[in-house]
Amino acid sequence: MKRGIFIIALLFSVQMFSQAIYEDERYVPETDPAVLKNLEVWQGKKFGLLMHWGTYSQWGIVESWSICPEDYGWCERKKGSNPASYNQYVSDYEGLKKTFNPTKFDPVKWAKAAKAAGMKYMVFTTKHHDGFNMYDTKYSDYKVTDKDCPFSTNPKADILKEVFTAFRNENISTGAYFSKPDWHNENYWDPYFPPFDRNVNYDPSLYPEKWQKYVDFTHNQILEILTNYGKVDILWLDGGWVRKRDQQNLKENYDEKFAENESKNGFIKHRVVDQDPKMDELVVKARQKQPGLIVVDRAVHGKNQNYLTPEGRVPAKTLPYPWESCITSGGGWSYSPDAKYMTGRQGIHMLIDIVAKGGNLLLNVAPSPEGEWQQGAYDLLQAYADWMKVNNTAIYETKPIEPFKEDNICFTQNKTGNVFAFYLAKDGEDKIPAEVTVKSISPKKGTKITMLGSKTSLKWTKEGNGFKVVIPESLRNNLPAKEAWTLKIEAINR
């Protein structure tokens, strides 16, 4: 029990610390006019889909991290030969390539469910840290189309191609997740040296030719995706520790590690290494292939992080730059056979909260080893679909308006000046109250207030700096949506 309480407290403190860092993080605005235009369009989309999928789904474990020799809970090696040495475990893990055969893979079904839910863009894992490629790369044989992978004979073997095609056919923008570290590549984890942690396992400054080979490999793979797979809207790069660092940054990072008492004995779970992937050069080449490409070099401060991506959390307030919360819908990022999905109410309220703060929601769904989504994912997306069918105009192409949220009421504003007040159902509520009071928004005299999904003009009266609106019983007994109801205020006093 004590251990459980400690873990909960620790996670809470880490989350608060991470959010504090995130909200104070500097942002370098983009200057490319084509990128700025696409970034504005992306901000109006509000809702996207992320998918983590790879051979690891067969074991129902966290993606990639179990082959990382770090001492964290997510790196635990619970599968494979038992008992397993580290090297045996990695061999067993990489052997999953020979059994990966998702014969029920149906991206058309996924795309239709995502479109119905109101998702406007998607990001798919082309390659995670373990180095397994979910597309037909010519730079590695550790891929789904290799002859040793049973799925390679399937007509849908080039999974990335099938996914991108299915989602583009539903007019959903495409994004390529790509891991900068590749733990399978001999020029990142050189077999001559043991891997120490998540980082490159040799000093790039001592072996510059080897490191350059890895940089070339990384650039070639990314450019391959941007050349062979049609229009790509977002390049979503993970593995923020693969970055150029200077002496000051190295010192600051190590000072932080010891200040946080990572280990009283001096043991550090992972190092901080200067490992420059030459991202500036890559982005220039990438945009020659895909003009206006949005690049998200996650967690790397600088001009190549076109928007920020708080992971697994929602910021406490609006942020003065483009951002997107990436959140799991159920289980972890990767497939879990016993995943419990968030309820429709939780999902809808989260979307509203994020949009009211000016962000986007990127919701992760993890396919199974057979290539299916779990029913819980479809149920959640159906709840979104039912709600968005009525309320989507208050979500898309909107911006925050102060105070963003008042108790359980969130606000957005569209380009024509209409304000939307979302009443989020409280615990135990299945309908909106007969009277709703808003203290911080003042409608113009004589303005019209309606509920989205209803043509009934609602009676309202001014109260202080706000107003009170009456919801007739006939509407309360026949509400157009569940979980949250949207009041449209046509004009407000400024």
Side-chain angles (χ1 to χ4, degrees):
M1 178 64 74
K2 288 182 179 178
R3 183 173 181 268
I5 293 172
F6 171 76
I7 290 172
I8 291 170
L10 179 62
L11 289 173
F12 180 76
S13 65
V14 169
Q15 182 178 11
M16 292 300 289
F17 179 72
S18 299
Q19 183 155 303
I21 291 175
Y22 173 75
E23 293 188 0
D24 290 340
E25 189 168 352
R26 295 160 296 162
Y27 174 73
V28 178
E30 180 58 61
T31 57
D32 184 325
V35 180
L36 288 171
K37 180 180 178 181
N38 288 340
L39 197 56
E40 183 179 4
V41 171
W42 170 82
Q43 286 184 280
K45 293 179 183 292
K46 300 302 180 185
F47 193 19
L49 170 71
L50 176 62
M51 283 187 282
H52 280 71
W53 195 27
T55 60
Y56 45 77
S57 64
Q58 296 173 86
W59 280 355
I61 59 172
V62 68
E63 64 292 341
S64 299
W65 283 99
S66 64
I67 63 171
C68 179
E70 294 180 8
D71 188 20
Y72 294 103
W74 64 83
C75 301
E76 292 181 8
R77 294 178 283 280
K78 298 179 180 179
K79 297 286 186 178
S81 302
N82 190 22
S85 67
Y86 172 77
N87 289 335
Q88 181 61 55
Y89 182 88
V90 173
S91 177
D92 292 345
Y93 180 98
E94 293 190 342
L96 290 170
K97 162 187 163 180
K98 297 180 180 179
T99 54
F100 188 57
N101 195 21
T103 55
K104 297 181 181 178
F105 170 50
D106 185 1
V108 171
K109 184 178 179 181
W110 299 348
K112 289 185 180 301
K115 181 179 182 179
M119 292 168 161
K120 296 290 188 181
Y121 66 103
M122 60 82 65
V123 177
F124 184 77
T125 45
T126 65
K127 182 181 74 169
H128 207 264
H129 315 327
D130 61 8
F132 185 79
N133 297 274
M134 297 291 278
Y135 71 103
D136 189 26
T137 178
K138 68 179 182 181
Y139 297 101
S140 172
D141 60 4
Y142 192 44
K143 59 183 178 180
V144 68
T145 55
D146 185 72
K147 60 181 176 56
D148 289 338
C149 179
F151 196 61
S152 63
T153 60
N154 193 291
K156 299 178 182 178
D158 192 340
I159 286 177
L160 179 62
K161 177 182 177 182
E162 298 296 324
V163 168
F164 274 5
T165 298
F167 280 80
R168 288 191 190 111
N169 287 343
E170 296 296 342
N171 199 30
I172 295 174
S173 301
T174 55
Y177 170 113
F178 186 92
S179 170
K180 293 183 293 180
D182 184 326
W183 296 335
H184 183 80
N185 186 275
E186 68 276 8
N187 291 311
Y188 194 78
W189 278 3
D190 186 334
Y192 182 78
F193 302 103
F196 302 106
D197 52 22
R198 69 189 64 187
N199 293 286
V200 57
N201 70 340
Y202 60 89
D203 184 348
S205 67
L206 294 180
Y207 302 92
E209 292 182 1
K210 184 183 295 293
W211 180 250
Q212 185 60 49
K213 287 181 181 178
Y214 184 71
V215 171
D216 291 342
F217 165 75
T218 301
H219 287 206
N220 285 337
Q221 281 208 307
I222 290 173
L223 294 174
E224 181 181 46
I225 292 168
L226 299 179
T227 302
N228 298 340
Y229 290 86
K231 187 176 187 309
V232 178
D233 299 281
I234 302 169
L235 177 60
W236 210 85
L237 300 169
D238 205 5
W241 61 90
V242 181
R243 58 190 287 194
K244 181 178 176 61
R245 299 176 187 271
D246 55 28
Q247 289 299 310
Q248 179 181 347
N249 179 254
L250 290 168
K251 183 180 184 304
E252 289 172 349
N253 275 263
Y254 277 113
D255 285 347
E256 284 176 9
K257 282 181 172 291
F258 285 102
E260 295 166 18
N261 293 318
E262 182 168 315
S263 174
K264 295 179 181 178
N265 300 322
F267 182 84
I268 294 177
K269 294 184 179 182
H270 71 270
R271 301 161 300 146
V272 181
V273 180
D274 177 17
Q275 44 191 318
D276 182 7
K278 299 181 180 173
M279 192 53 57
D280 289 353
E281 294 178 19
L282 172 63
V283 171
V284 170
K285 292 184 286 188
R287 287 184 177 146
Q288 288 172 349
K289 299 282 186 182
Q290 301 269 356
L293 177 72
I294 295 171
V295 177
V296 187
D297 191 11
R298 300 187 64 221
V300 181
H301 169 66
K303 64 180 182 178
N304 300 318
Q305 190 175 202
N306 291 158
Y307 65 76
L308 274 65
T309 58
E311 181 173 322
R313 67 186 188 276
V314 179
K317 58 185 179 182
T318 57
L319 303 175
Y321 34 71
W323 62 276
E324 161 196 88
S325 279
C326 43
I327 307 286
T328 58
S329 62
W333 296 108
S334 58
Y335 170 78
S336 174
D338 57 353
K340 183 178 180 181
Y341 287 81
M342 66 174 74
T343 64
R345 176 169 293 192
Q346 290 170 329
I348 290 164
H349 287 193
M350 177 180 289
L351 175 63
I352 294 169
D353 184 45
I354 289 171
V355 172
K357 293 170 182 170
N360 287 20
L361 169 59
L362 186 65
L363 190 70
N364 185 81
V365 175
S368 75
E370 294 78 30
E372 297 180 297
W373 284 358
Q374 291 164 305
Q375 188 57 45
Y378 284 113
D379 292 344
L380 175 58
L381 264 61
Q382 185 59 54
Y384 275 118
D386 294 340
W387 189 85
M388 290 287 276
K389 194 180 301 181
V390 174
N391 298 281
N392 67 77
T393 56
I395 296 293
Y396 304 131
E397 303 292 341
T398 60
K399 61 182 181 180
I401 179 172
E402 292 186 1
F404 322 120
K405 189 172 186 179
E406 174 187 309
D407 298 324
N408 65 316
I409 300 175
C410 292
F411 305 100
T412 63
Q413 185 174 30
N414 66 16
K415 293 178 180 179
T416 60
N418 303 144
V419 170
F420 302 96
F422 303 87
Y423 182 94
L424 279 56
K426 299 178 180 178
D427 289 344
E429 281 187 333
D430 60 2
K431 62 173 64 176
I432 194 169
E435 293 183 347
V436 174
T437 299
V438 176
K439 300 176 182 177
S440 50
I441 299 290
S442 176
K444 281 188 175 179
K445 184 178 180 181
T447 199
K448 185 178 180 181
I449 298 179
T450 57
M451 179 183 291
L452 292 187
S454 168
K455 296 180 180 179
T456 302
S457 185
L458 303 176
K459 295 180 181 179
W460 66 273
T461 54
K462 181 175 174 58
E463 285 206 356
N465 293 325
F467 68 97
K468 179 173 71 175
V469 62
V470 176
I471 314 297
E473 197 65 20
S474 58
L475 180 55
R476 294 183 70 233
N477 291 332
N478 190 29
L479 290 166
K482 297 179 180 179
E483 318 303 359
W485 303 279
T486 310
L487 301 177
K488 178 181 179 182
I489 307 156
E490 294 200 341
I492 63 169
N493 295 310
R494 298 182 182 274

